[in-house]
Amino acid sequence: MLVAHFARTVGLAGYGLVVSPMFEELGVFERLGEATDVVGKEMYDFHDKGDRHLALRPEGTASIVRAYVQHRPPLPFKAWYAAPNFRYERAQAGRYRQHHQLGVEVLGPTDADLDVEVVALAASVVAGLGLTRVEMLLNSLGDGACRPAYVAALAAFLAERQDQLCDQHQRLPLGNPLRVLDCKRDSCRSATDDAPRSLDHLCEPCRDHFARVGDGLTALGVSFTIDTRLVRGLDYYTRTTFELAATALESAQNAVGGGGRYDGLAEAMGGPPTPGIGFGLGVERLLLACDAEEVLAAPKGSVDVFVVDTTGGGEALRLTDELRRAGIGADRAFDARSMKAQFKAADRSGARLALVVGERELAEGTVAVRDLIDGDQEPVGRDDVLADVRKRL
Ligand code: HAM
């Protein structure tokens, strides 16, 4: 149901399903940033029989961008996926070694309107599940023109406070200084309270871009909070970054999704310079958030009609086939169950109508059409069943 809801939401915005391989050459994922935990510590890599160095996919973006670089589809290339990812994490509630993401990626436009579309889509998928306690956090990390000076300013700030940072970040070299801003430990948090903020170091084009994203989201009624600590755990991000934090979940694992722009990734993978943006929503965490907010409605029945056949099942076989061919969702019971058991199954299926075939109906060439909501039942000629069902649904 979650995947169907996602597919419907992003399908309405023109995204097409892309299925990428579960593993790739290790090099594809190394572009995500060797200083990141995902690449540096958590990758499931192995050598195959041909001594190729491969890795199980730790996330979805790299494979989509690799596919773009290899196949060069027309731009904009708007892809969605629902796929498992593998990270050698310390497994705990909300953090698993195999998790699943529902995500989109778009390659092509630099337009801030696209950032708005992508952020708003993520928000609308989450809102569509009925979740209300999810906060949209937004930041901009700048681009190749302004980020190096910002990172240098941050590194200088951190160097002066090295001894106040947590054990992990006291060790030199620091790798990517941005990561310290993301550290959840108290020592790092208090040491970086007044650290330089990327938003104060944006060049003019990045500042304009960020302002347009904010204005666009406001125009669409998508609420967000600017979070200057939001640096994300992968190194490919430029400009817009965002994360969805479920306040109903424990804070260390409360990100139900995240994403952002990665304008340099396609080029880093050997393709033409092509901007990109996307997000990934964590399926397991979304479900945990739904549980915590008690919002996930029982899956709605996927069929409209249930065929109850007490004459051996031959009519059920034919009727369900006819209905499905006509595009009407239909199910039936098997193993010649009793009438009572079949009606129970019909109720559980969520169907609106039951088509009932007993010995009498079979002899008369009719089917009893029963409305499962008000219980009304009427005989209908066998040849008129399809038209009658259509009329009632
Ligand atoms: P990420 O933030 O690493 O981003 O993962 C996206 C979401 O996947 C997280 O917010 C979280 O809900 C879920 N997740 C990640 N790791 C785990 C885990 N070990 N156990 C359970 N859930 C997990 C990315 O992967 C980027 N590819 C997102 C993106 C797409 N950026 C641009 N396009």
Side-chain angles (χ1 to χ4, degrees):
M1 192 196 101
L2 191 52
V3 179
H5 164 63
F6 185 77
R8 204 168 38 247
T9 309
V10 299
L12 287 172
Y15 292 72
L17 174 64
V18 172
V19 179
S20 66
M22 199 92 84
F23 56 85
E24 303 248 8
E25 297 273 354
L26 181 74
V28 170
F29 302 120
E30 282 175 336
R31 309 280 156 61
L32 304 176
E34 303 203 37
T36 62
D37 283 355
V38 172
V39 175
K41 298 186 192 157
E42 298 169 357
M43 202 108 81
Y44 279 92
D45 62 317
F46 58 99
H47 288 86
D48 73 359
K49 289 184 174 33
D51 209 28
R52 280 173 287 259
H53 199 175
L54 306 172
L56 296 185
R57 171 177 60 210
E59 60 100 60
T61 312
S63 305
I64 301 283
V65 176
R66 193 269 310 140
Y68 159 72
V69 168
Q70 196 174 348
H71 303 293
R72 302 287 180 85
L75 297 175
F77 174 46
K78 297 176 92 173
W80 72 270
Y81 50 88
N85 299 291
F86 305 85
R87 300 180 185 181
Y88 192 75
E89 304 249 26
R90 261 195 328 129
Q92 53 201 289
R95 190 170 292 280
Y96 310 106
R97 293 194 177 141
Q98 173 173 347
H99 74 276
H100 296 77
Q101 284 186 29
L102 298 168
V104 305
E105 311 293 345
V106 190
L107 284 135
T110 52
D111 196 335
D113 279 1
L114 177 61
D115 304 39
V116 176
E117 171 176 307
V118 168
V119 175
L121 267 180
S124 118
V125 170
V126 169
L129 292 173
L131 291 169
T132 53
R133 293 165 60 196
V134 177
E135 208 181 352
M136 174 66 77
L137 307 174
L138 193 69
N139 195 14
S140 172
L141 295 178
D143 63 6
C146 54
R147 185 156 23 164
Y150 167 62
V151 173
L154 181 62
F157 173 91
L158 294 174
E160 280 178 20
R161 288 158 183 80
Q162 192 82 28
D163 55 341
Q164 299 167 32
L165 304 179
C166 74
D167 294 350
Q168 186 197 336
H169 289 120
Q170 272 185 24
R171 266 179 270 133
L172 286 169
L174 202 47
N176 183 349
L178 290 175
R179 203 105 305 124
V180 181
L181 295 180
D182 203 22
C183 181
K184 302 278 187 277
R185 294 187 191 89
D186 290 343
S187 47
C188 275
R189 284 199 99 74
S190 55
T192 55
D193 260 349
D194 52 352
R197 302 154 13 126
S198 58
L199 289 184
D200 298 330
H201 288 74
L202 297 182
C203 57
E204 207 180 318
C206 284
R207 212 168 34 239
D208 288 351
H209 188 93
F210 190 61
R212 280 192 57 207
V213 175
D215 289 348
L217 290 172
T218 305
L220 295 188
V222 178
S223 49
F224 61 89
T225 305
I226 291 180
D227 179 356
T228 55
R229 283 186 182 273
L230 182 65
V231 294
R232 308 276 302 127
L234 298 155
D235 277 352
Y236 49 60
Y237 292 107
T238 52
R239 292 194 165 176
T240 312
T241 51
F242 60 99
E243 213 158 83
L244 286 148
T247 53
L249 297 182
E250 204 204 309
S251 74
Q253 268 79 241
N254 76 351
V256 292
R261 266 204 175 271
Y262 44 84
D263 290 347
L265 187 58
E267 197 177 3
M269 288 208 182
T274 314
I277 182 169
F279 67 75
L281 299 173
V283 170
E284 292 79 4
R285 291 196 192 171
L286 278 177
L287 293 175
L288 285 172
C290 287
D291 273 353
E293 287 200 36
E294 295 180 5
V295 291
L296 200 57
K300 225 168 72 1
S302 56
V303 296
D304 292 314
V305 180
F306 198 95
V307 181
V308 172
D309 178 354
T310 55
T311 67
E315 268 298 78
L317 192 66
R318 285 182 289 274
L319 276 167
T320 48
D321 184 60
E322 276 172 40
L323 290 160
R324 290 167 189 168
R325 280 172 195 271
I328 297 167
D331 205 356
R332 53 165 293 187
F334 293 93
D335 296 329
R337 314 276 307 278
S338 69
M339 165 105 80
K340 193 171 156 209
Q342 291 192 47
F343 269 114
K344 221 164 145 187
D347 280 337
R348 255 201 323 264
S349 76
R352 286 247 334 263
L353 300 175
L355 299 186
V356 189
V357 185
E359 295 301 341
R360 197 173 72 199
E361 284 78 14
L362 201 59
E364 289 174 354
T366 61
V367 169
V369 179
R370 182 191 288 210
D371 187 315
L372 287 170
I373 294 166
D374 59 24
D376 283 356
Q377 184 166 315
E378 245 186 287
V380 174
R382 176 65 179 83
D383 293 343
D384 303 325
V385 169
L386 213 53
D388 186 78
V389 165
R390 272 218 182 87
K391 217 166 56 212
R392 290 170 191 260
L393 288 177

